[in-house]
Amino acid sequence: MTPNSPSTKSQRSFSSSSILYGNWLLPDEPEKKRSRKGRPRVPTGGSSRGTTLVWGDYGLRMCDHHRRVSALQLKNGEEAIKVRLRGMRYRLYKRVCANIGVYSSGNEVRMGKGKGSFDHWASRIAVSKVIFELKGDIHEKVARDAFRLAGNKMPGLYEFVKKGDPAVVGITKLQGITMEQLKRPRRAIPLVSMPITSEAVTQSPTASALSSPEA
């Protein structure tokens, strides 16, 4: 076996992280405590995490408002993409996971008596969060059409993003503007200082003598 043979070369895998096989529509372990309704964690301190593509060339990003999307709705969006891209060579990445339990009570039930029984799994998705990524030998128009069908199956408004698109902070895209400029105050605060003159500090002896009660 020669030293330049392919078997002896150090081959780097696609990802350095370990492969975790599981279902993205439900957590690996049951909840120890019943989840509250809550709200998605929307970064308000100037964070753009999760708003750009990492592995794929095209993606689907939520653009209107944060919400809770059920596992069934996410599955319908995934199935719509698979049906549109049937027979093509591609790889679909999911950036979210349905790990929040939703509990509900029956109709005409009085208040109290606990939180209710388990209904379904859901995922809390923040605004401008990338949900799906697509990589493969696929034309851009075909990817747009596939993500359009997936967005119609899920609640909310979504937008098509490509590799290299600017990140988003909240609902503001960092296109032509940096993070430092975004954090600056919108209006410059003028620093106006009153000029101090000698007349305002010291009074003349005649004026102090007239104002004294002994005079």
Side-chain angles (χ1 to χ4, degrees):
M1 185 178 294
T2 60
N4 295 329
S5 60
S7 59
T8 59
K9 289 184 178 181
S10 59
Q11 298 179 359
R12 184 178 180 274
S13 59
F14 179 78
S15 177
S16 59
S17 59
S18 60
I19 301 176
L20 300 178
Y21 296 98
N23 192 354
W24 69 292
L25 298 176
L26 74 162
D28 296 334
E29 298 180 359
E31 291 185 324
K32 297 181 181 179
K33 185 179 179 181
R34 297 186 179 184
S35 301
R36 298 188 178 183
K37 182 178 294 185
R39 292 183 179 180
R41 295 181 178 179
V42 179
T44 58
S47 176
S48 59
R49 181 180 179 183
T51 61
T52 56
L53 299 183
V54 178
W55 304 293
D57 299 328
Y58 310 106
L60 185 68
R61 182 168 61 188
M62 181 175 288
C63 62
D64 61 339
H65 196 269
H66 61 269
R67 57 174 45 84
R68 188 175 62 184
V69 183
S70 65
L72 180 59
Q73 295 168 344
L74 293 173
K75 182 179 179 181
N76 293 338
E78 180 189 13
E79 292 296 333
I81 296 175
K82 290 182 178 181
V83 170
R84 179 61 182 85
L85 303 180
R86 182 176 298 171
M88 302 181 184
R89 297 176 60 88
Y90 68 94
R91 185 171 182 180
L92 184 64
Y93 299 92
K94 298 94 173 180
R95 296 284 299 273
V96 296
C97 178
N99 56 356
I100 302 298
V102 180
Y103 302 84
S104 63
S105 301
N107 297 330
E108 299 181 1
V109 176
R110 295 185 179 182
M111 297 177 63
K113 304 296 183 181
K115 187 175 178 62
S117 59
F118 175 80
D119 191 23
H120 61 274
W121 294 104
S123 175
R124 295 173 183 162
I125 302 178
V127 62
S128 303
K129 171 72 175 179
V130 176
I131 301 177
F132 295 113
E133 291 189 22
L134 191 62
K135 184 178 181 64
D137 189 12
I138 298 176
H139 197 272
E140 180 181 347
K141 293 184 178 180
V142 179
R144 282 182 179 271
D145 190 35
F147 285 137
R148 178 187 61 83
L149 297 174
N152 294 337
K153 296 291 184 178
M154 297 185 297
L157 299 178
Y158 301 88
E159 61 179 351
F160 179 80
V161 292
K162 296 188 296 183
K163 191 76 171 181
D165 285 357
V168 182
V169 178
I171 57 175
T172 305
K173 296 183 179 180
L174 298 180
Q175 189 171 6
I177 183 174
T178 61
M179 186 72 71
E180 290 75 12
Q181 296 176 354
L182 187 63
K183 291 183 178 180
R184 291 176 183 174
R186 296 185 179 181
R187 182 178 299 178
I189 302 176
L191 300 177
V192 179
S193 59
M194 297 296 293
I196 301 175
T197 59
S198 59
E199 298 178 357
V201 177
T202 61
Q203 295 181 353
S204 61
T206 57
S208 60
L210 293 176
S211 61
S212 60
E214 296 179 356

